[in-house]
Amino acid sequence: MKALERVYTIISQQFSDERITTAQAANAVGLTRGVTSSYLSKLEKQGKLLKTGSRPVYWQVKCEETAFDKLIGYHGSLKKDIKHAIEAIIYPTNGLPILISGSRGTGKLLFAHTIYREAIRRKIFSENSLFKIIDCAEYKNKINTLLQNKKTLNEYFSVSKKNINGYLYVKNLQVLNHETQRYLLNYAINQEKLNTRFIFSTTNQSVDTEYENFKYAIVKINLNPFNKRPFAERIAFSCLFLQNQANKLNRQFLTSFHFIIKLANLTINSITELSNHIQLLCAEKYANAPQDKQLILSKLANQNTIRIMPNQQSLQKEVAALITKALQLSPAINDLLNKVIESLTNGETIVEQNFLVLKVLNQIKIGTDESLLNSLIQTIQLSVKKNITHRYGITFQKETEFWRYVALAFILANMCNDNSVTIKTKSSIQFETKSRYPRSYYLYKQFINKIYPKYVKDPYYYIPFFVLMAQHVEKIESVHYNAILLAHGESTASSIQQVINTLCGNYIFEAFNMPIDISADKISSYVQKYLVDQGPSTKGNIILFDMGSLKQIFREIKKVSDQKLLVVNNITTAMALDIGLRIQQNEMFESIAENSQKYGSTTDAQYYEGLSNKKNIIVSCISGVGLSKEIKKLIETTLSPSLEVITFDYKHLYVLLKNNNRQFFSKTQLILTTTNIDDDMGINIINVYNIFDKQVSLKLQRILLHAGESLQSSNSLIEKMLKFLSIEGIRDRLKILNPDIVIQESQTIVSHYEDFYNVRFEPKLKLNLYMHLSLMVERMLTSSTSSTTSLKDMSLSSREKEFISLSKGILQPVEQKFNIKIQDYEIELLYQLLKDFIFA
């Protein structure tokens, strides 16, 4: 391959629709700048490249001209729409129907006619082919006529039967009901064997294009209103309509670049409205001086005066070149971003990055319209106050010059976006900024997401960061925790956030207002998204929430971050302020966590994984929490305070053992219970009634000594428990019933079970049963609620059914004697106590 061909191939592949400088081309082809320039000039003479500009010179691959090239935005906002339109035109064998949507005055008819011209250019149709307009508005009140009159359909929608080829442009489809819309769209789809093609248009999105029959059979194009078009395109429209008026009046116009910018920023939706506005303006000037050959449209500046001559062909290009020349966007922005990124990675302060940005902004100050600048300043100030100051407590300076630079930075970002400036940097400015200033970057991104949401991923819009946030970065980054407020309701969390951040004068808390019925895993997703956006903290994460399961919230959030985590429930403003001040004072994590446990009886906190961060003994008696609490009291009055005693309902303990691993119970020294529990995690589990066996009491003694207890206190606990579990112990624990009577009834019940199953229970089991039954009777007398568990709802084995039937008979005398009803759940507990002995 010849060198010239090689240069063209590389450029056409790498920069197919992009303007590049000679230096960019030289880097791409691997040649010197001088040699590359020579090759580029030869390719221009061959008609393969276009050359624009002077310093620098820009080169662009010359593509085959199409009918669409005359549309403003053909390389910009219309690029994808034109691509889809061409696909619809060339699709075999007779193309695809097209639906163009857009508000009035967005150029739907012009776009449709351009499709028709492109089909002729591609020789799909001849020059005398049809482009007929059908207005559905004419049939708004006579839809039946349109659908039922065969002659009407033949005349308007079956012209291909007359051997006439071309396009039917069916406008205002939105005025018809969905049934009629579907009829027409289906009709268009089913014309595959005919040469008539259909373009439909609508002013809104009410057309049912998701209907399965034509969901993927119609090409959909949406044209943006004028104020949603890119800035460069709005400039081009303004120039086009000014040129049209100069041609029509045969007068020369004098105006300024500022005036054209003002036209481009009119708050209107319709391109047609812009044309009418410019026509009236020019008519006024003409009426004031109809004899003058030169009309002055606006106040002229000493520089950048624009002359619009009648029948001038290059006004749009000249204005576009003026924008590029004034700002030199591509090279200037690439140079700026690379220098800022280098400064960030070298660890320089934000003062250095601020200087780099201000240096570039000073180059564009002169070319900015003051009224537009002041309007933008007000918009930015209001958004900063609402989205940063109000929520995060960061107060910005009031100096006019500061806000001018902030506004200029956003103007530069807008210009880069509108002129499709190509960014080529070694790294992402967003990534480097977040890495260096994570908390400041987070606040700025929240602000950008409100003021320019569709540009939140564009690098240009992070240039203003180094102006807006420069004086606050040090303070914001001094916070070394990620702290979050979670509360149910529309504004509960954000209200507390505002108070605390404002009082602290800094970004301490982020807040999320949550629906009332939100689940724990959904709460976790809020936190996870925040931690991803904010990035990891130096010292840990602190979560304050209003209600819910503390351990469940802790467990869910711990899944998404391996950093230290403190979770506190039942938040109040006072509590949040105390924690916020401790965060601001940079207290240690453990200090904040320990103090968070002292806010009140309704507040709890968790800052460790597992059941507890202290050595602990778990007590869980099948006879109920009351018995567990009494054993807990016995332990706490005998052993040292360093050993925590935790009580659980038996069902709760069962679930914990089933759903957690040994790590969860890493600090657990012992589990005391009143039944046998199978465990394969290596936890010491002792049935308290087995303490009557010497080997078991010695095992308990060893466990307590290993946990740091003295021999004296260990032996003392064993002696107290033996007494507690005796008949005398039962007597002492009954508060209402006569111990002699209820124990005798319990002994009778146990004897019935022994007789029926032909077994003899060992003494420790009998003691367990006497205690369980005696306390059960007293519990039934004093309890005001019944168990929600019904045996009818459970899947029972034949043995269980037999036991239940027998038990109801055995327990009936007791029920009658004490006027109580023994709940199904109590019978199930008895079964769990006895099953291993009566079915052995």
Side-chain angles (χ1 to χ4, degrees):
M1 183 183 293
K2 293 181 180 180
L4 187 63
E5 293 176 357
R6 177 176 172 273
V7 169
Y8 178 73
T9 300
I10 293 173
I11 292 174
S12 61
Q13 288 178 349
Q14 294 188 22
F15 310 102
S16 59
D17 59 355
E18 181 182 340
R19 292 192 316 153
I20 60 171
T21 62
T22 304
Q24 287 176 291
N27 289 335
V29 300
L31 299 173
T32 65
R33 185 169 179 172
V35 172
T36 303
S37 179
S38 174
Y39 283 136
L40 295 174
S41 296
K42 289 179 181 179
L43 290 169
E44 184 211 0
K45 290 179 181 179
Q46 293 178 5
K48 293 183 177 181
L49 293 182
L50 292 174
K51 179 182 178 181
T52 56
S54 55
R55 293 183 181 178
V57 172
Y58 288 96
W59 307 89
Q60 189 170 14
V61 175
K62 188 175 182 181
C63 301
E64 179 185 7
E65 290 188 4
T66 72
F68 294 106
D69 291 357
K70 296 180 181 179
L71 294 179
I72 292 173
Y74 75 101
H75 270 321
S77 65
L78 298 181
K79 186 175 180 180
K80 288 184 179 179
D81 293 322
I82 290 171
K83 176 178 177 292
H84 295 326
I86 291 174
E87 290 168 356
I89 292 169
I90 66 175
Y91 189 82
T93 55
N94 285 300
L96 292 170
I98 298 170
L99 174 66
I100 305 174
S101 61
S103 57
R104 296 192 183 280
T106 51
K108 297 186 292 298
L109 175 58
L110 176 61
F111 197 94
H113 199 266
T114 307
I115 292 171
Y116 160 70
R117 297 303 309 170
E118 179 64 13
I120 293 175
R121 190 193 71 81
R122 291 176 180 266
K123 302 189 184 306
I124 292 172
F125 294 131
S126 62
E127 286 286 348
N128 62 353
S129 60
L130 172 80
F131 184 84
K132 187 174 182 66
I133 300 175
I134 311 296
D135 191 350
C136 293
E138 297 177 10
Y139 295 94
K140 183 176 181 180
N141 298 319
K142 46 182 179 179
I143 294 174
N144 290 336
T145 302
L146 178 64
L147 295 179
Q148 295 173 9
N149 191 318
K150 187 174 182 181
K151 181 179 178 180
T152 302
L153 288 175
N154 285 338
E155 180 180 350
Y156 290 105
F157 298 100
S158 301
V159 293
S160 57
K161 294 181 181 180
K162 303 176 184 178
N163 296 319
I164 299 176
N165 300 332
Y167 274 98
L168 289 179
Y169 177 59
V170 185
K171 61 184 290 189
N172 289 321
L173 193 62
Q174 76 282 350
V175 304
L176 305 179
N177 59 40
H178 278 190
E179 180 183 359
T180 310
Q181 290 173 7
R182 289 184 179 182
Y183 176 85
L184 296 179
L185 293 172
N186 274 316
Y187 188 91
I189 292 169
N190 293 325
Q191 297 299 304
E192 292 182 2
K193 297 181 180 180
L194 303 175
N195 253 351
T196 302
R197 300 188 179 192
F198 288 80
I199 302 174
F200 299 91
S201 77
T202 175
T203 59
N204 55 42
Q205 300 293 328
S206 66
V207 177
D208 187 10
T209 56
E210 296 302 307
Y211 182 54
E212 200 62 37
N213 284 14
F214 44 81
K215 188 175 182 180
Y216 303 107
I218 291 181
V219 172
K220 288 173 278 188
I221 291 170
N222 180 54
L223 301 182
N224 287 326
F226 175 74
N227 60 3
K228 298 296 184 182
R229 297 286 286 266
F231 179 72
E233 293 177 19
R234 302 198 303 270
I235 288 283
F237 276 116
S238 303
C239 293
L240 172 65
F241 298 140
L242 286 169
Q243 184 67 64
N244 289 345
Q245 292 304 310
N247 298 346
K248 184 176 182 179
L249 297 173
N250 195 28
R251 294 291 188 273
Q252 179 186 138
F253 294 154
L254 292 183
T255 188
S256 67
F257 183 53
H258 297 308
F259 178 71
I260 295 179
I261 289 178
K262 187 176 181 180
L263 290 175
N265 282 288
L266 288 173
T267 55
I268 57 175
N269 292 327
S270 170
I271 297 170
T272 304
E273 189 177 343
L274 174 68
S275 176
N276 294 339
H277 176 82
I278 291 174
Q279 178 173 289
L280 289 174
L281 185 149
C282 293
E284 179 186 355
K285 299 295 182 182
Y286 177 80
N288 291 336
Q291 304 302 320
D292 291 355
K293 293 295 182 181
Q294 191 177 74
L295 302 177
I296 299 174
L297 299 183
S298 62
K299 182 180 178 180
L300 302 178
N302 293 329
Q303 55 184 343
N304 295 338
T305 297
I306 297 175
R307 294 179 183 272
I308 305 174
M309 309 293 291
N311 302 310
Q312 184 179 352
Q313 301 297 319
S314 57
L315 176 62
Q316 294 178 46
K317 291 184 179 179
E318 287 178 4
V319 173
L322 180 62
I323 296 172
T324 303
K325 183 179 179 181
L327 299 177
Q328 294 184 338
L329 290 178
S330 288
I333 296 305
N334 273 287
D335 183 58
L336 171 63
L337 292 181
N338 279 310
K339 286 181 178 178
V340 169
I341 289 171
E342 183 180 359
S343 177
L344 288 167
T345 55
N346 287 342
E348 295 177 349
T349 66
I350 197 169
V351 174
E352 299 298 325
Q353 295 115 41
N354 176 259
F355 171 77
L356 292 169
V357 174
L358 294 183
K359 184 178 178 181
V360 172
L361 295 180
N362 282 324
Q363 298 173 9
I364 66 167
K365 284 179 67 176
I366 298 175
T368 305
D369 184 87
E370 285 299 314
S371 61
L372 293 176
L373 186 64
N374 291 332
S375 175
L376 181 58
I377 287 173
Q378 292 179 13
T379 301
I380 293 171
Q381 284 178 324
L382 288 173
S383 185
V384 166
K385 184 177 181 180
K386 178 181 179 180
N387 297 298
I388 298 182
T389 301
H390 185 73
R391 289 185 61 189
Y392 301 105
I394 305 299
T395 304
F396 291 82
Q397 56 187 296
K398 297 181 180 180
E399 285 79 359
T400 303
E401 191 66 9
F402 164 74
W403 289 105
R404 283 176 58 83
Y405 275 116
V406 173
L408 283 170
F410 278 106
I411 288 175
L412 178 62
N414 287 328
M415 297 292 277
C416 289
N417 181 274
D418 290 336
N419 287 275
S420 302
V421 171
T422 303
I423 299 298
K424 292 187 177 179
T425 54
K426 294 180 181 179
S427 181
S428 160
I429 190 169
Q430 295 101 307
F431 174 80
E432 297 297 344
T433 306
K434 182 179 180 180
S435 299
R436 185 69 192 284
Y437 311 120
R439 294 182 66 80
S440 306
Y441 173 85
Y442 175 81
L443 292 194
Y444 181 78
K445 190 175 179 182
Q446 304 307 303
F447 162 68
I448 283 293
N449 206 29
K450 295 295 183 182
I451 192 169
Y452 292 117
K454 66 179 180 179
Y455 299 135
V456 74
K457 294 183 179 179
D458 286 355
Y460 334 107
Y461 290 89
Y462 290 83
I463 294 173
F465 170 90
F466 301 98
V467 182
L468 180 65
M469 306 301 290
Q471 295 188 359
H472 301 283
V473 161
E474 184 177 355
K475 178 173 70 173
I476 295 170
E477 301 305 322
S478 69
V479 175
H480 299 302
Y481 291 94
N482 286 332
I484 308 173
L485 297 168
L486 300 166
H488 298 79
E490 294 183 358
S491 61
T492 306
S494 55
S495 296
I496 298 175
Q497 174 199 33
Q498 179 194 350
V499 171
I500 308 309
N501 288 344
T502 300
L503 290 174
C504 293
N506 200 359
Y507 161 39
I508 305 295
F509 284 105
E510 180 56 289
F512 297 102
N513 302 305
M514 304 178 300
I516 295 296
D517 58 350
I518 193 170
S519 61
D521 60 338
K522 185 64 176 177
I523 292 174
S524 175
S525 71
Y526 276 90
V527 176
Q528 182 177 14
K529 184 180 184 304
Y530 170 74
L531 294 179
V532 170
D533 289 344
Q534 174 60 92
S537 58
T538 305
K539 291 191 171 182
N541 302 319
I542 297 175
I543 316 293
L544 310 185
F545 71 106
D546 55 350
M547 59 184 178
S549 169
L550 182 72
K551 287 183 170 55
Q552 187 180 14
I553 297 295
F554 182 93
R555 184 167 58 249
E556 289 295 330
I557 295 174
K558 195 63 181 174
K559 292 177 183 177
V560 302
S561 174
D562 58 359
Q563 290 190 288
K564 290 181 178 179
L565 173 63
L566 166 65
V567 178
V568 186
N569 64 5
N570 295 325
I571 60 169
T572 63
T573 303
M575 176 208 305
L577 178 60
D578 181 69
I579 291 179
L581 291 172
R582 293 177 186 277
I583 290 172
Q584 190 173 41
Q585 293 162 11
N586 216 4
E587 282 193 21
M588 297 299 292
F589 178 86
E590 287 73 16
S591 173
I592 297 176
E594 289 173 5
N595 277 285
S596 68
Q597 296 181 307
K598 303 173 183 178
Y599 291 121
S601 58
T602 61
T603 301
D604 201 358
Q606 183 169 345
Y607 58 95
Y608 45 82
E609 287 188 82
L611 180 63
S612 174
N613 68 328
K614 296 180 179 179
K615 288 183 179 180
N616 62 83
I617 293 176
I618 297 173
V619 181
S620 179
C621 298
I622 200 168
S623 301
V625 177
L627 179 58
S628 300
K629 288 183 177 179
E630 291 189 46
I631 295 177
K632 174 183 178 178
K633 184 177 179 181
L634 197 66
I635 297 172
E636 287 179 335
T637 56
T638 308
L639 302 181
S640 65
S642 62
L643 199 60
E644 183 181 14
V645 184
I646 303 170
T647 60
F648 282 128
D649 176 85
Y650 177 76
K651 289 188 294 184
H652 189 183
L653 175 63
Y654 177 80
V655 171
L656 286 177
L657 289 169
K658 183 178 180 181
N659 295 332
N660 294 281
N661 55 24
R662 186 65 180 92
Q663 180 62 31
F664 182 83
F665 296 97
S666 60
K667 296 288 186 179
T668 300
Q669 310 297 303
L670 170 68
I671 296 177
L672 285 175
T673 182
T674 55
T675 187
N676 296 324
I677 299 177
D678 294 328
D679 170 63
D680 57 0
M681 287 192 291
I683 304 175
N684 291 311
I685 301 177
I686 292 179
N687 184 327
V688 292
Y689 290 103
N690 289 339
I691 296 174
F692 289 99
D693 294 338
K694 189 171 184 179
Q695 293 299 320
V696 176
S697 64
L698 289 173
K699 178 182 178 181
L700 176 58
Q701 183 189 73
R702 288 194 302 271
I703 293 170
L704 295 174
L705 291 173
H706 184 265
E709 296 300 315
S710 67
L711 179 62
Q712 181 181 356
S713 62
S714 300
N715 289 335
S716 177
L717 176 64
I718 293 171
E719 289 176 7
K720 289 180 179 180
M721 290 188 69
L722 288 171
K723 180 181 178 182
F724 178 81
L725 297 170
S726 67
I727 293 291
E728 290 305 313
I730 299 173
R731 291 177 180 275
D732 293 340
R733 294 177 55 234
L734 289 170
K735 307 299 183 184
I736 300 174
L737 297 175
N738 184 317
D740 293 327
I741 294 174
V742 73
I743 290 174
Q744 183 179 354
E745 292 294 337
S746 299
Q747 290 171 332
T748 301
I749 292 170
V750 171
S751 296
H752 284 317
Y753 280 118
E754 286 181 318
D755 292 342
F756 184 85
Y757 289 104
N758 195 24
V759 293
R760 287 294 174 264
F761 299 141
E762 56 189 28
K764 63 182 180 182
L765 176 58
K766 286 187 177 182
L767 275 173
N768 189 356
L769 288 169
Y770 298 158
M771 178 177 290
H772 179 90
L773 291 166
S774 299
L775 294 174
M776 178 191 74
V777 172
E778 186 164 279
R779 188 163 57 248
M780 292 298 97
L781 275 171
T782 58
S783 176
S784 59
T785 59
S786 60
S787 171
T788 58
T789 305
S790 172
L791 294 176
K792 295 179 181 178
D793 300 329
M794 303 173 65
S795 179
L796 304 175
S797 66
S798 57
R799 286 181 173 179
E800 286 176 289
K801 291 177 181 178
E802 177 188 89
F803 181 84
I804 291 165
S805 177
L806 172 69
S807 298
K808 288 188 174 182
I810 292 175
L811 296 171
Q812 188 176 14
V814 175
E815 290 180 324
Q816 292 175 346
K817 185 167 187 174
F818 294 99
N819 193 24
I820 60 174
K821 174 63 179 176
I822 296 174
Q823 303 294 325
D824 290 349
Y825 176 64
E826 298 291 344
I827 298 176
E828 173 65 17
L829 291 180
L830 277 173
Y831 178 78
Q832 296 296 329
L833 279 170
L834 291 174
K835 64 179 181 179
D836 292 336
F837 302 96
I838 60 181
F839 298 119

